[in-house]
Amino acid sequence: MDRPIAMVVAVVFCLSSALRAATYLGDSEHFWPILLALALTTAGVLAIVAVPGDPLPLPATVLLTAIGPATCLLVLPQIPAHGWIMSDIWHLRAVTIILCFMSVRGRPWFAEAGAASSILVFTIWTGITGQGWGGGLRTSLVVFAPVLISLLVASAVRPMAQRVFALRELESERAADEAMTAAVTSERESQLEALDSSARPILEAAAAGAALTDADRERCAILEERLRDTLRAPVFATDDALHRATSDARRRGTQVILLDEGGLDDEALAAPVRVALIDELDATSGGTVTARALPPGRNTSATIVIEVGHRVRRVEFDAEGRVRVEVRNGDVPDLDYQAVRSIVGG
């Protein structure tokens, strides 16, 4: 019932009820009760489809239960007391639909209460207008018989539907687990392939007893740092451009420390941090560059600290992606730099 087609069917049904109600506007002494009854039944039919929750929320249930007797009180005085036909009590068709689907949506006893109160009002009307109490009771019972059937159907269908939904949820969870396992396996295989291509030549050379050159030792050191980055800073290590910038910086003698504590799970926040880190690495020779993704929930999502001699440059990214830069020479703020940043920012 939460599919778009259900709303389309409900709207078409409401339009048909409106056409039927329109035929009585000219014959009724007061047309406003017909319009009010039409508004109530239309709102009830649309609510059955549109109101979320299972079972149907209690406030909506109470209001829907009251639509039956309320529309009877509005419509019945407007039709002829004698000689009326079944199409004259058009509102009861809409009320029957509402009550039947209340049973389907988990409120069967409220639906039966709504049917019983509507039958009572209809029977009283036939009795006081001289049509006979028995005739009104028989007519209303025929009209509301589907409500009793809906109770029986709902008692059989809803438990089965709940089992189907539970199985569907289990299937979705199983599919998600399989997808996660496949992704982990794929990532593991990719990492193994990368490790094999980068480490195997060095390991084979060492196993064969070959003398390692200074270039080989440098490659070993960079590979060791790369593996360490992969373990403790995946948000940075998985980016190829950042990996190349990190390797080049290390070859120039810069110590690069990457830490990931989960604060950059959002790619919209992680991307500008990686770009800024690449720029800082390309501009740094020697010293230390420390990039850290802070834990989630903090005002600051990531920091980049560049230390070259006594000069410390700190770049902070807040949780909304804004950047703050601070530069110090020892314990003294770099006022000239801060002034330039303020002028540029203004």
Side-chain angles (χ1 to χ4, degrees), residues 255-266:
Q255 183 181 5
V256 182
I257 301 173
L258 305 179
L259 303 170
D260 180 10
E261 298 180 54
L264 292 178
D265 290 339
D266 186 353

Side-chain angles (χ1 to χ4, degrees), residues 162-178:
Q162 290 172 355
R163 288 194 292 270
V164 170
F165 292 148
L167 291 174
R168 184 182 298 174
E169 184 175 353
L170 289 175
E171 180 65 20
S172 298
E173 293 177 355
R174 187 181 66 83
D177 291 340
E178 290 180 352

Side-chain angles (χ1 to χ4, degrees), residues 17 55 70 143 177-178 185 227 248 333:
S17 296
V143 172
D177 291 340
E178 290 180 352
T185 302
L227 295 176
D248 292 341

